[in-house]
Amino acid sequence: MNIAAKNKNAVWIGTACCVAYAGCYAGRNILSAVMPQMTELEIFSESALGLMGSALLLCYGVGQLINGFLGNRIDAKYMVSVGLAVTGLMIIMFPFCTSQAAGILMWGACGFFCSMLWGPMSKIIGENTQRTAGRIIITLMTAASVTGTLLTYILAIYGSASGSYRAPFIISGIVLLIIAAAYYVCSIHMERHGIIRTYATENTQKSQTDFKKLFLNTGFISMVIVTLLYGVIRNAVSFWIPTFIAQNFSISSKTAAAISTILPLTNIIGTFVTMFIAKLLKYREKLMCMILFSFSVLMFTVVFVCKSSFAPVSVSALFLASAAMTGACNMIFSIYVLHFASTGLISGITGFFDFASYISASGANFLFPVILNTGGWSAVVAVWTAVTAAGTVFSLIAMKTDKAHLLS
């Protein structure tokens, strides 16, 4: 296959995966975006919504582990389409739910079905594109996830302006149903034209043995811990940012939602800036993680010092810390995980790392309300600072010890 054909195929694969992933984030982040309005209207309490968010993240994380390995065997067009469609239906039904328990179950289901995307799509990218193209596509998918999040904030603004908290959920759910159908049709087209092929895993026993050996590698374990820590900031902290802005600076949910629309844009810029810097550093992803965590420590320190004063400075620092952690996520999945493409189990390995990031986020999401009720937002920000400081340390350990890529 000539270079032009390979590039054309990469465009098809990248477009399909990016649109699907943007849809996934438009669904799973709509609860966070509308949360300030729902608490204002006393639809559910902060604790109840926090439990729903924890269920979402917990089931998303567990689902990544399960669906990551299933993605080695089941066609991505089925997993991705079903995942988006079921999530869309759940989100459409949620605003008519009046039971806290039912809400927790619904968002847990959303988390699980959303987790059916990342591993299978990573496998398609890893097996059907060259390494450079794969790195670009996964970086664009990170940007697409941020774009999907931006849509949720726009819908939240509309919901606040119209006085209807239900509209953002319904619109988001409909968007997911449309994308689910489009991805299925697009996948069939790509299969018929040989753009994507599913490769059987060769030397499966050897691959499984290598996967077990990873957990005997100090550097690999350190990278798992790095993933756990960035997951707290990128996922759990991001879930609370609109509420933090509204409560810490005593502003309305509509204003908080409007300010929060800047966050996805900051994250997109952060993703490409970190990739540019990584290129200058010859794609040394562990060094980049250490730099990004160190930067986040500084930014959260600024937020802590500002407290409820100097809102523009505090919010800017908060957004920059979030952008840095989005960049760290991209280092893990667009560079580090692709080292293992030749194992034949890239979907499972990718799923495991995503599982780690969301399990930690789920636990943090459960603890944040407790910390908030006992120590206020200052205590919560102090925890965020400590998490990023730990991430700096483990990134350094990984940089010095990781040899896991030699297994592939």
Side-chain angles (χ1 to χ4, degrees):
M1 186 183 295
N2 59 43
I3 295 176
K6 289 181 179 178
N7 289 341
K8 182 179 179 180
N9 290 353
V11 169
W12 270 98
I13 294 170
T15 300
C17 289
C18 285
V19 172
Y21 209 52
C24 172
Y25 270 73
R28 47 159 288 192
N29 283 308
I30 191 66
L31 178 63
S32 169
V34 185
M35 185 174 167
Q37 184 183 6
M38 295 184 74
T39 54
E40 275 187 358
L41 297 174
E42 298 182 351
I43 305 300
F44 288 108
S45 67
E46 290 174 3
S47 297
L49 291 169
L51 287 173
M52 293 177 197
S54 291
L56 169 71
L57 296 174
L58 175 62
C59 293
Y60 187 86
V62 173
Q64 287 292 353
L65 189 63
I66 296 170
N67 291 315
F69 285 102
L70 288 177
N72 292 324
R73 296 173 173 81
I74 300 176
D75 197 318
K77 70 173 178 285
Y78 300 121
M79 295 192 71
V80 173
S81 299
V82 169
L84 288 172
V86 175
T87 301
L89 291 173
M90 289 288 179
I91 291 172
I92 290 172
M93 292 188 294
F94 171 71
F96 303 98
C97 170
T98 57
S99 165
Q100 175 180 323
I104 292 172
L105 289 174
M106 292 177 76
W107 283 104
C110 285
F112 182 83
F113 282 98
C114 278
S115 73
M116 295 175 73
L117 277 72
W118 183 248
M121 290 195 299
S122 295
K123 186 173 189 292
I124 282 186
I125 294 166
E127 293 180 345
N128 292 277
T129 65
Q130 295 178 322
R131 183 65 58 86
T132 300
R135 186 162 53 228
I136 292 171
I137 290 172
I138 292 179
T139 298
L140 291 173
M141 285 176 67
T142 301
S145 71
V146 177
T147 303
T149 303
L150 174 61
L151 175 61
T152 66
Y153 291 131
I154 294 172
L155 290 175
I157 293 173
Y158 170 74
S160 293
S162 64
S164 171
Y165 74 92
R166 289 175 173 169
F169 291 103
I170 295 171
I171 295 171
S172 177
I174 292 172
V175 168
L176 262 67
L177 292 174
I178 293 171
I179 293 176
Y183 185 87
Y184 185 81
V185 172
C186 185
S187 292
I188 292 176
H189 170 82
M190 289 191 290
E191 288 176 349
R192 288 177 177 173
H193 290 79
I195 297 173
I196 57 174
R197 290 182 292 272
T198 302
Y199 295 89
T201 301
E202 299 177 0
N203 302 320
T204 302
Q205 189 62 46
K206 177 180 181 299
S207 296
Q208 292 175 343
T209 301
D210 285 349
F211 189 66
K212 294 175 183 177
K213 287 180 181 178
L214 295 177
F215 293 94
L216 302 177
N217 183 281
T218 302
F220 181 81
I221 294 172
S222 296
M223 288 302 285
V224 172
I225 295 174
V226 166
T227 303
L228 289 167
L229 295 170
Y230 95 68
V232 171
I233 306 300
R234 182 173 183 261
N235 301 312
V237 172
S238 294
F239 181 85
W240 285 93
I241 281 178
T243 305
F244 170 80
I245 293 173
Q247 294 185 357
N248 195 54
F249 302 110
S250 300
I251 58 179
S252 68
S253 62
K254 181 179 179 181
T255 303
I259 294 172
S260 296
T261 59
I262 302 172
L263 177 61
L265 300 176
T266 306
N267 287 343
I268 289 175
I269 294 171
T271 298
F272 289 103
V273 169
T274 53
M275 185 55 76
F276 175 75
I277 298 173
K279 182 178 180 180
L280 297 179
L281 296 176
K282 298 181 179 179
Y283 297 109
R284 297 168 63 189
E285 71 277 10
K286 302 172 196 70
L287 174 59
M288 277 301 305
C289 284
M290 187 180 71
I291 292 171
L292 292 168
F293 272 105
S294 299
F295 178 75
S296 293
V297 171
L298 177 61
M299 292 300 100
F300 281 131
T301 300
V302 171
V303 176
F304 182 81
V305 171
C306 289
K307 299 188 184 300
S308 59
S309 304
F310 308 106
V313 175
S314 181
V315 172
S316 297
L318 182 64
F319 285 5
L320 288 172
S322 176
M325 291 300 93
T326 302
C329 170
N330 194 48
M331 292 299 102
I332 298 292
F333 290 104
S334 71
I335 301 178
Y336 185 71
V337 169
L338 291 183
H339 291 322
F340 305 100
S342 63
T343 64
L345 296 176
I346 190 170
S347 178
I349 293 174
T350 301
F352 174 75
F353 271 88
D354 228 11
F355 160 76
S357 72
Y358 283 96
I359 285 298
S360 63
S362 177
N365 209 44
F366 177 77
L367 289 175
F368 286 165
V370 177
I371 298 170
L372 177 61
N373 290 332
T374 56
W377 282 112
S378 292
V380 174
V381 175
V383 171
W384 298 348
T385 309
V387 167
T388 48
T392 304
V393 173
F394 281 101
S395 296
L396 177 61
I397 294 173
M399 187 170 64
K400 297 293 184 181
T401 62
D402 190 20
K403 302 294 182 184
H405 63 281
L406 296 178
L407 294 176
S408 63

